[in-house]
Amino acid sequence: MMQSVERTFAGRRLRIETGRMAKQAAGAAVVQFGDTMVLATVTVSDQQSPLPFFPLTVEYKEKTYAAGKIPGGFIKREGRPQDAEILSARIIDRSIRPLFPEGFKNEVQVFVYVISADQVNDADVLALVATSYALNASKIPFAGPIAGVRVGRLDGKWVLNPTFQALGLSDLELVVSASNDSIVMVEGGALEVSETDVLDALTVAQKGIRELIAAQEELLDKAGRTPKMEWVKAEAPEGLVAKVKELAQGRIAEALNQKDKHTRIDAIERAKKELAEQLLADFPDGAKDVHTLLGDVEYHSLRSQVLDSGHRVDGRTPKEVRPISIDTGLLPRAHGSALFTRGQTQALVVATLGTAEDVQRLDTIDDPGETTKSFMLHYNFPPFSTGEVRPVRTTSRREIGHGNLAERALQGVLPAFEEFPYTIRIVSDVLESNGSSSMASVCGGSLALFDAGVPTRAPVAGVAMGLIKEGDRYAILTDILGTEDHLGDMDFKVAGTENGITSIQMDIKIEGLDLQIMREALDQAREGRMHILGEMNTALGAPRPELSPYAPRIVTVQINPEKIGDLIGPKGKTIRGIQDETGAEISVDDSGTVTIAAVGGEAMERARQMVQAITQEPIVGEVYEGLVKSTTAFGAFVEILPGTEALLHISEMRHGRTEKTEDVVKKGDRVKVKLIDRDERGRLRLSMKALQPKPEGTAEGAGNGSEPRRDRGDRGDRGSREPVVGAGAGEGGEPSFSAQGGGEGEGEGEGEESSSSGERGERGDRPRRPRGRGGRGGRGGRDRE
């Protein structure tokens, strides 16, 4: 039976419903906010998995029908998840994973479908609410409910679940999931905000989350709660537990305290192997339990050492950062490069500058059309970085998540696209890993941008914080090792400049953290960040004054939008010709902004001159050197600019009388002329004699009857038909004509040539823009996720 609750949340209608869709799942819920709707389902296996970890899978799928779209491509169905879907799935996974009971290993699957998208409200935080309700309503043991919200700030005021439009104006975007009294997960980016601002945002988020949890509780009471499934945590024999503690504690603690990662791993594995052989002699059937119990000893040894003595396994104090070394400009052909090493974590980070044609084009259900992205950071984590052999597959969800975190950290300090019209791609190849590789990517990315000459506002550094918490005792660790991440309770990454935070991510393995611990962790992270920024400034303190000689140079030229068709030419012939001749890349948008990119200033300047020559507007009074395209009895047509022809009347060729046009100019001649007139219809008239000294004794008005031939229209119905050329001649560079005679005889006359000329006159006043031109459709700014 369908049940639902409704309430107003953040000024919009929120509805949670169950009992209508997916009734065979262990739990299901539909959440609607505005016109955005998500369906979340959960299922669980009845048997425990033999895997040594909890097998939880979260799938998040944006259905294109939700926005009234059909998938692109040939297959026309949803395929592999996009990066945005993977990031949304990770938000749900990281929020719910710590809330399943310790030792629970029945496989759980969470499926989330976005089934309606109003392109106003984001679906990811709604999916978290739906998942929480579905888990609590199911038989699956889960320490919920929880909820998630997105926090923004507009004009100094905090906003819960801001719309897409409002989010574009916010200086902070924070996704927070929490229970009634503790924070579970944090993810977000900002424009250099303070630690206090982040804490205030978390406080606002938790207030909103309590409202959403209350709505879930109301529906759970209304629809009824399913009894939780019975399960038994595997327990080792009592005698084995005591024996492992007796034999292993000293050996494991000694093996842990090694500065080098592989020395430590080898020592621990050797100790475990020797201890296992000794223990299995007394407990031959306990191989699996022995392995688990030895891991528990390692876990408790590291934690108790940090809490009791304040010393970490590599000898550092809780606030100490590992030694840092930096090399920049080490790849001669790359546009910018940096090798950032911190302890045994190393990242080779490379920046590449591209043109507007290199932007990433995205088609999502959250936007009615195609959007573009001009800044990308790609993070790669090969198996050799940890000295392992692993199958090489496609980009992992972890790599996508870490790349997105580092991308947000740097995005807030980049120049606006209008000021620096380059597409920027950063690649971070992790070459060694022993914790905090994503933060090494942030530091290396900032240095690579400096090395590339990108005018970023400030350097950005990142540091990963850890937590060891036992009851009321806890220790916050700066710049954690891989072992401390694995055996600790928190991975809290904070990146930013000396002025504030630009990116933040927190995952925990316990049920939640209070704001006091968050406050201490943020303050300690700032100390670590300042230290790392100091090391970075010593290596490279500011962007290089010049771009790499191998990077493209980009200039923009503004042209009259009516000239776009002339620049592109029939089927793109003109613009392709410029690109082929100069080697430059040229794009034009609908506003008439032409972007020219070329490696080398000479090619760029040549392309700019060619673009300006094609799109230049003729100016009355200017002198041009033009090519005679054709001659007639009444004058010649001269191309003064590419595609622009004007009439040089026979009376304007020289002082005195001219019997024949060919006596002065012939087809193919190059002549110097002055533009003397442009009428209200855009028709142009030239003069050669205006550039010649007037002979002495020549009467004013002397020449071919003193006046242009058009005035002979007074002689009756034999008004001559003169070709007239508009500034925007017809397509293909052909002159446009218009019948012209004296008096009321205009448009009347004889001759086949005159008739056809008159028809072309209607088309010549304004060039028609070719359809489907090759220039890019718009300038997508950098997305600020």
Side-chain angles (χ1 to χ4, degrees):
M1 179 179 177
M2 187 190 78
Q3 299 286 349
S4 66
V5 296
E6 285 190 24
R7 60 182 60 199
T8 299
F9 180 77
R12 283 150 284 172
R13 185 175 73 101
L14 174 79
R15 186 172 190 269
I16 307 175
E17 170 193 307
T18 190
R20 178 160 60 169
M21 297 186 190
K23 294 186 290 293
Q24 293 190 43
V30 174
V31 174
Q32 180 175 355
F33 190 57
D35 283 341
T36 294
M37 297 175 66
V38 297
L39 165 67
T41 66
V42 298
T43 51
V44 62
S45 66
D46 292 326
Q47 304 297 322
Q48 285 208 6
S49 168
L51 296 171
F53 56 85
F54 171 44
L56 170 66
T57 303
V58 178
E59 294 292 337
Y60 182 97
K61 201 70 180 173
E62 295 177 342
K63 297 294 186 178
T64 55
Y65 61 69
K69 292 185 174 184
I70 295 175
F74 293 101
I75 299 176
K76 297 298 180 186
R77 68 180 299 162
E78 289 87 353
R80 68 176 298 276
Q82 298 183 20
D83 286 2
E85 293 170 300
I86 290 172
L87 295 171
S88 297
R90 281 174 56 83
I91 284 175
I92 298 170
D93 186 307
R94 290 159 44 209
S95 298
I96 64 176
R97 186 175 290 272
L99 302 180
F100 291 92
E102 183 182 354
F104 182 73
K105 291 184 180 178
N106 296 56
E107 184 172 5
V108 174
Q109 287 187 338
V110 177
F111 275 79
V112 176
Y113 288 165
V114 181
I115 54 178
S116 179
D118 61 9
Q119 298 174 350
V120 175
N121 300 295
D122 207 328
D124 55 359
V125 289
L126 308 182
L128 187 51
V129 174
T131 300
S132 170
Y133 179 85
L135 285 168
N136 280 281
S138 74
K139 64 180 182 179
I140 304 170
F142 181 71
I146 61 169
V149 295
R150 177 174 273 102
V151 182
R153 183 168 61 178
L154 300 174
D155 298 326
K157 296 181 180 178
W158 297 110
V159 181
L160 287 175
N161 289 2
T163 64
F164 289 120
Q165 182 180 9
L167 201 57
L169 304 174
S170 174
D171 65 344
L172 176 143
E173 177 189 4
L174 215 57
V175 176
V176 183
S177 60
S179 62
N180 269 322
D181 52 11
S182 57
I183 304 294
V184 175
M185 190 280 309
V186 179
E187 176 93 27
L191 300 178
E192 298 180 274
V193 301
S194 69
E195 285 74 13
T196 302
D197 289 337
V198 171
L199 289 168
D200 289 345
L202 293 174
T203 303
V204 171
Q206 195 150 39
K207 289 179 181 177
I209 283 168
R210 290 189 182 108
E211 293 183 43
L212 296 174
I213 290 175
Q216 293 180 59
E217 295 281 9
E218 180 183 339
L219 185 56
L220 285 167
D221 292 339
K222 195 173 180 180
R225 300 172 187 260
T226 303
K228 296 300 178 181
M229 64 189 293
E230 293 183 2
W231 68 282
V232 178
K233 180 181 178 181
E235 297 287 352
E238 189 74 27
L240 177 60
V241 174
K243 190 71 174 176
V244 168
K245 286 183 178 179
E246 177 188 342
L247 294 176
Q249 279 184 335
R251 291 282 306 276
I252 295 294
E254 181 182 351
L256 268 173
N257 286 277
Q258 310 287 336
K259 285 190 175 183
D260 179 73
K261 171 185 175 181
H262 289 287
T263 302
R264 181 168 54 253
I265 291 173
D266 291 343
I268 291 171
E269 291 305 314
R270 186 166 53 252
K272 285 182 177 179
K273 183 179 178 181
E274 293 172 0
L275 289 165
E277 291 174 356
Q278 186 176 349
L279 290 163
L280 288 175
D282 296 331
F283 300 90
D285 297 328
K288 185 178 178 182
D289 292 330
V290 166
H291 176 78
T292 301
L293 289 171
L294 289 173
D296 290 344
V297 171
E298 180 186 2
Y299 172 83
H300 290 294
S301 295
L302 179 144
R303 297 167 67 86
S304 60
Q305 175 177 311
V306 172
L307 290 173
D308 294 340
S309 68
H311 292 293
R312 298 158 71 173
V313 294
D314 62 351
R316 287 184 292 149
T317 62
K319 294 185 178 183
E320 191 175 345
V321 178
R322 290 172 287 176
I324 294 171
S325 68
I326 297 169
D327 295 297
T328 59
L330 66 163
L331 304 183
R333 288 278 175 158
H335 300 163
S337 60
L339 183 67
F340 183 87
T341 307
R342 179 168 52 200
Q344 290 182 292
T345 295
Q346 184 181 77
L348 175 63
V349 191
V350 183
T352 306
L353 305 181
T355 69
E357 294 299 317
D358 296 315
V359 296
Q360 183 180 9
R361 288 175 167 79
L362 304 170
D363 186 12
T364 72
I365 65 172
D366 294 328
D367 193 276
E370 184 183 77
T371 58
T372 58
K373 182 178 177 182
S374 60
F375 173 57
M376 298 151 276
L377 192 150
H378 297 146
Y379 168 98
N380 300 312
F381 192 83
F384 68 77
S385 65
T386 55
E388 297 175 296
V389 175
R390 294 197 309 266
V392 179
R393 299 190 175 95
T394 59
T395 307
S396 69
R397 292 188 174 196
R398 177 182 176 278
E399 288 173 309
I400 291 171
H402 279 33
N404 180 70
L405 173 65
E407 182 180 296
R408 276 202 316 269
L410 297 172
Q411 192 161 29
V413 299
L414 292 174
F417 191 79
E418 293 75 19
E419 300 170 7
F420 191 75
Y422 287 86
T423 297
I424 302 172
R425 180 183 184 235
I426 294 177
V427 176
S428 176
D429 288 321
V430 178
L431 306 184
E432 299 179 37
S433 179
N434 187 17
S436 306
S437 59
S438 62
M439 296 296 95
S441 300
V442 171
C443 301
S446 179
L447 290 162
L449 289 170
F450 272 24
D451 188 51
V454 178
T456 53
R457 193 162 58 243
V460 180
V463 63
M465 310 298 294
L467 175 72
I468 305 292
K469 187 175 187 297
E470 295 287 351
D472 294 332
R473 295 200 305 159
Y474 63 88
I476 298 169
L477 308 179
T478 299
D479 184 26
I480 56 174
L481 302 171
T483 300
E484 293 168 334
D485 184 8
H486 176 62
L487 302 178
D489 296 321
M490 176 181 77
D491 183 10
F492 188 18
K493 302 181 179 76
V494 184
T497 68
E498 64 177 10
N499 297 320
I501 293 170
T502 58
S503 186
I504 187 171
Q505 183 185 86
M506 187 195 78
D507 298 316
I508 61 171
K509 300 173 188 175
I510 53 180
E511 290 190 2
L513 292 180
D514 59 40
L515 288 177
Q516 178 57 36
I517 294 178
M518 294 281 291
R519 181 178 289 105
E520 290 183 35
L522 283 169
D523 290 341
Q524 193 167 318
R526 177 175 172 78
E527 293 178 21
R529 189 171 80 243
M530 292 301 105
H531 168 75
I532 297 165
L533 284 171
E535 297 290 325
M536 291 169 60
N537 287 331
T538 300
L540 184 61
R544 299 202 187 276
E546 297 290 336
L547 301 183
S548 162
Y550 305 107
R553 267 55 180 174
I554 295 180
V555 295
T556 57
V557 177
Q558 191 67 40
I559 66 171
N560 186 339
E562 294 184 359
K563 290 283 187 178
I564 294 175
D566 295 339
L567 175 60
I568 294 170
K571 299 181 180 179
K573 179 180 178 181
T574 304
I575 199 168
R576 283 200 306 271
I578 299 173
Q579 292 181 136
D580 291 344
E581 182 176 334
T582 64
E585 290 185 20
I586 303 173
S587 60
V588 57
D589 66 18
D590 292 338
S591 69
T593 300
V594 181
T595 303
I596 305 168
V599 178
E602 186 177 337
M604 182 185 67
E605 182 59 25
R606 175 63 180 147
R608 186 183 65 80
Q609 290 175 354
M610 294 177 74
V611 168
Q612 289 180 330
I614 292 171
T615 59
Q616 185 178 346
E617 296 279 351
I619 301 172
V620 174
E622 288 291 314
V623 176
Y624 299 91
E625 184 175 328
L627 179 68
V628 177
K629 303 291 284 187
S630 62
T631 59
T632 68
F634 48 79
F637 291 98
V638 181
E639 185 180 52
I640 59 172
L641 295 171
T644 301
E645 295 181 17
L647 174 63
L648 174 60
H649 195 272
I650 193 170
S651 65
E652 293 291 340
M653 290 183 177
R654 62 185 178 187
H655 294 285
R657 186 174 183 81
T658 302
E659 293 294 337
K660 288 176 60 180
T661 299
E662 287 77 8
D663 292 344
V664 182
V665 297
K666 296 180 177 61
K667 183 178 179 181
D669 288 352
R670 297 201 70 85
V671 295
K672 190 171 284 188
V673 293
K674 182 176 183 179
L675 180 58
I676 59 173
D677 184 40
R678 178 181 197 151
D679 67 15
E680 67 279 357
R681 293 174 61 185
R683 296 175 298 187
L684 308 175
R685 298 183 71 83
L686 304 173
S687 174
M688 289 175 63
K689 74 179 185 182
L691 301 176
Q692 302 165 3
K694 191 161 127 182
E696 293 184 10
T698 303
E700 198 63 45
N704 291 12
S706 300
E707 296 295 332
R709 191 181 297 266
R710 68 167 184 250
D711 292 337
R712 295 182 187 178
D714 295 340
R715 297 165 64 182
D717 61 359
R718 292 189 60 198
S720 68
R721 295 180 180 269
E722 296 182 4
V724 180
V725 181
E731 292 180 16
E734 295 181 4
S736 55
F737 295 77
S738 175
Q740 180 175 347
E744 296 178 5
E746 183 171 345
E748 302 290 336
E750 303 171 357
E752 184 176 336
E753 178 182 332
S754 299
S755 174
S756 64
S757 299
E759 292 173 4
R760 284 191 301 218
E762 293 299 318
R763 297 170 52 193
D765 291 341
R766 176 177 296 197
R768 292 189 298 171
R769 189 178 304 167
R771 303 176 73 179
R773 66 178 189 271
R776 65 189 164 94
R779 291 190 172 223
R782 294 188 171 86
D783 64 341
R784 300 184 179 273
E785 182 180 71

